Amino acid sequence: MSEWISVKDALPDEHQKVDVLIDWDLRYTDAEYYDNNFYGLEQDFDVDDCGYGCFKNTDLMHDITHWMPIPEPPK
């Protein structure tokens, strides 16, 4: 099982898809790291469909404190 990595200690590889922990509400979501920033993954649904504070269509994310690789799905 992966453990959370502080953004102060290391950052993901370019275009790596990861789970991120957001400081202001202590929740995590999926993101992609590129151009030295975290961005929301493109979604097939609208913000209203996924509830308060979700990220879609490569929204720039702020206040990321930790990240971890997305685990492989079970076989």
Side-chain angles (χ1 to χ4, degrees):
M1 182 171 186
S2 297
E3 295 201 19
W4 291 106
I5 301 165
S6 171
V7 296
K8 294 177 183 176
D9 295 335
L11 291 169
D13 294 331
E14 186 79 359
H15 291 286
Q16 183 177 358
K17 292 177 176 69
V18 297
D19 286 333
V20 293
L21 184 67
I22 301 168
D23 179 52
W24 46 268
D25 68 354
L26 296 178
R27 73 178 170 96
Y28 68 93
T29 190
D30 294 336
E32 182 174 357
Y33 184 78
Y34 59 92
D35 295 334
N36 296 314
N37 288 296
F38 290 94
Y39 293 90
L41 297 179
E42 291 188 31
Q43 305 288 331
D44 292 330
F45 48 80
D46 210 334
V47 171
D48 292 340
D49 295 334
C50 60
Y52 169 77
C54 65
F55 296 92
K56 72 173 197 98
N57 296 331
T58 64
D59 291 339
L60 177 63
M61 298 173 143
H62 300 281
D63 302 323
I64 304 300
T65 61
H66 293 78
W67 65 276
M68 71 171 145
I70 295 174
E72 292 293 322
K75 295 181 181 184

